[in-house]
Amino acid sequence: MSQSPLVTRSELRKRKEEQERLAEEQRKAAERTYEKREKEISNVYRKELKKNKPVTKSRSSERVKQKERGSILNKAIIFVLLLLIVVMLAVFFI
């Protein structure tokens, strides 16, 4: 009598398919956890970016703006003083 094989081809195929299915499930689970962790990390950095907004001003540009404002205000003050002097002269001599 011939002996039957210990494991048949169909049994081998079933085992192989089962291993592939388990490997696929593990890969998907790992991918889900990775995506979840990535999302948490990106949320943390998004919050940090909202806190620390990028600097768009520089000292020199602010200094130039301040000088321009100062010169305009000085001119306005001088103009108002001249008008006051003209009004005072008009009041005293007319």
Side-chain angles (χ1 to χ4, degrees):
M1 252 171 131
S2 72
Q3 291 182 339
S4 64
L6 295 175
V7 180
T8 61
R9 286 188 209 162
S10 61
E11 185 65 30
L12 286 173
R13 187 175 56 244
K14 286 179 186 177
R15 287 182 186 176
K16 186 178 177 183
E17 288 173 356
E18 183 66 25
Q19 285 178 348
E20 288 175 356
R21 187 182 61 78
L22 288 174
E24 184 67 22
E25 286 177 3
Q26 287 177 347
R27 186 188 62 78
K28 285 183 181 179
E31 195 172 296
R32 279 192 297 262
T33 57
Y34 176 78
E35 291 291 328
K36 190 175 183 182
R37 184 70 177 141
E38 281 293 314
K39 194 172 183 180
E40 290 173 3
I41 291 171
S42 68
N43 283 341
V44 168
Y45 283 113
R46 189 177 311 130
K47 288 176 185 175
E48 287 294 321
L49 285 176
K50 284 183 182 177
K51 280 185 202 173
N52 305 328
K53 295 187 177 179
V55 177
T56 57
K57 300 177 182 180
S58 67
R59 288 183 185 177
S60 60
S61 67
E62 290 299 311
R63 192 87 156 158
V64 168
K65 287 180 187 177
Q66 193 174 21
K67 277 187 177 182
E68 289 174 0
R69 248 184 272 130
S71 66
I72 292 171
L73 288 175
N74 286 338
K75 289 176 186 175
I77 290 171
I78 291 171
F79 183 72
V80 169
L81 284 176
L82 288 175
L83 287 176
L84 268 173
I85 291 172
V86 169
V87 169
M88 290 174 86
L89 288 174
V91 168
F92 287 128
F93 291 112
I94 294 182

